[in-house]
Amino acid sequence: MSVSSNHHDRDKSDLNKFGYAQELLRSMGGFSNFAISFSIISILTGAVSLYGHGLTYGGPGMMGFGWPIVAFFVMCVAAVMAELASAIPTAGALYHWAAILRNKRWGWYTAWINLIGQIGIVAGIDYSVALFADPLIASVFGYTSSDTTVLICFTIILLTHGILNHIGIRIVAKLNDFSAWYHIAVVAVLVLSLAFFTKGSLNPVAYLFQVGETFSDKPYMLAFLIGLLQAQWTFTGYDASAHTIEETIDPRVRAPWGIFTSVAYSFVIGFIMLAFVTLSIKDAGAAANSSNAFIYVISEALGGTFGSVILWLVTAAMWFCGLASITSFSRMMYAFSRDRGMPFSAKWAQISKKYRTPAHAIWLAIILSFLLAFIDYIIKTVNPDASYTTIAFLTAVSVVGLYVAYGIPIYLKLRAKAEGRFQEKHLGPWNLGKYSTLISVIALLWIIFICVIMVIPPNQMAGYAVAGMLVLLIVMDLAYYRKHFPGPQAALNTSMEEILRREKELE
């Protein structure tokens, strides 16, 4: 028997112990698992699409200080999540962690809050692609870019991601592998271009750490905190390594490393990129007041034609980011639906026999993400003087939804450890040892802090949206799921005969 077969049998047996059949195709290696999170984090999406937001509120110092500050605390969050993924290697991830650490109702709320965040991140990523792609396409075909054409472009982008995810994990995994290298290559091209071909000279390094300057009407310290959305939204989605854990070989080791290293590499590579972009700024005020600060800075620094080529490369990287985010979102819904946690769960839990993908869950992810952006489009059409931007709204929703979902199992792990229900014997091979509690407390405090910051004006609409969704969840829970949600399959004592039957159906 080959080493690969031994790994597959052990991984399948591990999953069976949690009450689940090996329905998804387990073919992802360690790099592919890392690549999906690295692609969703996508420094060429978050850091770029919200570059103007960061510059407007925090000035150049947002890149020099804001990015490292956020990265440090996010690495603490990622480390704790990696530890939990190693201990509980199922595609339900956050939802299963919460349910096992406490009970099924905690798990149910975690799953739905995570789902809210996933809707926001997919919509935010693909809307970012459209914001960059539509003006570039408009310049080629001679039409005027508008909110309507951006929405049409956004819809087409969503459809391409749905189709590719439907076709299968093998092609998506290969594209994600390519995406990781592509991101690194594009950053290298961008940095070298700015270093050697910028019109005029670069600003002195001290400019990167210049604080006290804001292009908003708020006091600098408050403005700086609001500007942290740029870095905080970039560092989201790394739970994808956990959501695809049932498709990963040797998941207790490879998925945790995928979670942690995707954040660590994004921090370093992203900081280098932001440093050179910021040092190439000619007029920070003009950049902050432009419709797209990143496009403005690159065009001013590299010229029209060369700048357009770089922007096309960046836009393609954003597209890969959206592709990976649909993969993660659909796996989360699939895992939750097979435990009957959603309306019409049987539909969303179905696996395509031909492609071995959760096809219905994929298309539901596409529809929900479209609806969030479309509703915002209608609101902005009715009230064109609204003070917030669509991209800030979508990204703030995703940050709050995802980080609350990240924080729940971290809090429950601390609580279970204090009560003696989570002990060293429950840990997987990837763990934080004696530093686990300290790092968990730091991570939880950061999550609480950042979720408050992300919903203060001008992002109050995101707070209203998340609050409205939470009220709806409470109604759903009290009206039906409190009594009818069975929880994870392990709690149902699923028989091995039933598990083997499900696996046989897909052969």
Side-chain angles (χ1 to χ4, degrees):
M1 184 177 286
S2 67
V3 175
S4 178
S5 296
N6 283 329
H7 268 307
H8 185 273
D9 291 342
R10 186 191 66 194
D11 297 342
K12 186 168 78 70
S13 176
D14 233 5
L15 181 61
N16 292 162
K17 291 175 184 177
F18 285 92
Y20 296 104
Q22 182 65 61
E23 296 181 294
L24 297 170
L25 184 65
R26 194 181 289 275
S27 62
M28 295 177 71
F31 183 80
S32 294
N33 184 277
F34 155 82
I36 190 170
S37 286
F38 184 72
S39 295
I40 293 178
I41 291 174
S42 182
I43 53 177
L44 289 170
T45 300
V48 166
S49 59
L50 286 177
Y51 185 80
H53 181 89
L55 185 65
T56 298
Y57 287 97
M62 179 57 63
M63 317 306 160
F65 288 113
W67 184 268
I69 289 170
V70 171
F72 169 78
F73 289 108
V74 171
M75 287 176 69
C76 292
V77 177
V80 183
M81 289 173 61
E83 183 178 64
L84 286 167
S86 186
I88 308 170
T90 63
L94 311 169
Y95 145 59
H96 279 170
W97 304 344
I100 290 171
L101 289 168
R102 194 65 190 177
N103 57 47
K104 64 183 183 180
R105 292 193 73 199
W106 278 94
W108 187 84
Y109 276 101
T110 302
W112 273 101
I113 294 169
N114 188 22
L115 189 148
I116 291 169
Q118 292 281 359
I119 295 171
I121 197 171
V122 171
I125 290 168
D126 278 5
Y127 200 84
S128 295
V129 185
L131 284 174
F132 272 69
D134 190 59
L136 291 170
I137 296 170
S139 67
V140 174
F141 291 99
Y143 67 86
T144 302
S145 179
S146 66
D147 288 346
T148 301
T149 59
V150 168
L151 184 69
I152 293 170
C153 188
F154 166 74
T155 306
I156 295 170
I157 291 163
L158 274 176
L159 290 174
T160 63
H161 290 156
I163 292 167
L164 284 170
N165 270 281
H166 186 135
I167 290 172
I169 188 59
R170 282 197 176 101
I171 187 172
V172 171
K174 288 178 180 177
L175 287 171
N176 284 330
D177 289 353
F178 173 76
S179 171
W181 291 114
Y182 181 83
H183 272 74
I184 294 170
V186 172
V187 169
V189 170
L190 177 59
V191 167
L192 291 173
S193 299
L194 292 172
F196 295 104
F197 302 108
T198 296
K199 295 179 178 180
S201 60
L202 294 174
N203 293 309
V205 174
Y207 181 73
L208 183 64
F209 302 97
Q210 179 178 305
V211 296
E213 182 178 24
T214 178
F215 301 100
S216 71
D217 58 356
K218 300 183 182 301
Y220 184 75
M221 284 307 300
L222 176 60
F224 184 88
L225 294 176
I226 294 171
L228 291 177
L229 175 63
Q230 178 200 11
Q232 193 65 51
W233 184 59
T234 304
F235 292 114
T236 54
Y238 45 90
D239 53 319
S241 290
H243 291 306
T244 54
I245 206 165
E246 291 180 26
E247 296 159 271
T248 302
I249 300 166
D250 194 15
R252 286 185 183 267
V253 174
R254 290 176 170 176
W257 276 119
I259 292 170
F260 186 76
T261 57
S262 63
V263 174
Y265 280 109
S266 295
F267 159 48
V268 175
I269 298 171
F271 183 75
I272 294 170
M273 179 191 73
L274 287 173
F276 276 89
V277 172
T278 303
L279 294 177
S280 68
I281 290 176
K282 308 303 179 188
D283 185 338
N289 291 317
S290 65
S291 59
N292 189 312
F294 187 85
I295 290 178
Y296 180 89
V297 171
I298 297 303
S299 298
E300 289 291 304
L302 300 177
T305 303
F306 192 12
S308 293
V309 171
I310 296 295
L311 291 171
W312 274 110
L313 293 174
V314 169
T315 302
M318 291 181 174
W319 183 89
F320 283 118
C321 174
L323 178 71
S325 67
I326 289 291
T327 307
S328 175
F329 188 5
S330 61
R331 269 52 177 185
M332 177 263 159
M333 282 200 294
Y334 155 76
F336 191 35
S337 295
R338 68 183 174 183
D339 290 337
R340 304 199 291 275
M342 295 178 63
F344 311 105
S345 283
K347 175 74 71 176
W348 319 128
Q350 285 182 10
I351 297 293
S352 166
K353 290 185 179 181
K354 181 176 180 180
Y355 298 112
R356 294 291 293 270
T357 58
H360 292 137
I362 288 167
W363 289 106
L364 179 59
I366 297 293
I367 292 169
L368 292 174
S369 301
F370 170 79
L371 286 176
L372 182 62
F374 182 70
I375 291 170
D376 180 75
Y377 170 79
I378 295 299
I379 292 172
K380 295 294 285 289
T381 301
V382 174
N383 181 20
D385 297 324
S387 60
Y388 70 94
T389 63
T390 297
I391 192 63
F393 166 73
L394 295 176
T395 53
V397 167
S398 67
V399 166
V400 175
L402 288 175
Y403 272 90
V404 170
Y406 295 172
I408 291 173
I410 293 174
Y411 161 72
L412 294 177
K413 190 201 77 165
L414 287 168
R415 184 171 171 180
K417 193 171 183 180
E419 295 171 353
R421 293 183 293 102
F422 189 80
Q423 303 171 13
E424 187 174 346
K425 65 181 180 181
H426 297 121
L427 294 170
W430 202 106
N431 63 79
L432 298 171
K434 64 181 180 180
Y435 300 104
S436 178
T437 298
L438 174 62
I439 296 174
S440 297
V441 170
I442 292 172
L444 190 59
L445 290 175
W446 177 255
I447 288 171
I448 294 169
F449 168 75
I450 205 67
C451 286
V452 172
I453 295 300
M454 292 302 101
V455 297
I456 63 176
N459 293 330
Q460 68 271 24
M461 283 299 295
Y464 298 151
V466 172
M469 292 182 205
L470 288 176
V471 170
L472 179 60
L473 291 190
I474 293 171
V475 172
M476 289 169 58
D477 179 35
L478 296 178
Y480 180 79
Y481 286 100
R482 181 167 59 95
K483 293 182 179 179
H484 296 90
F485 175 55
Q489 291 295 314
L492 301 179
N493 297 314
T494 307
S495 68
M496 184 56 66
E497 289 76 13
E498 173 63 15
I499 291 171
L500 293 175
R501 183 191 66 76
R502 293 177 186 174
E503 292 177 346
K504 187 70 174 176
E505 284 181 349
L506 291 168
E507 291 181 355

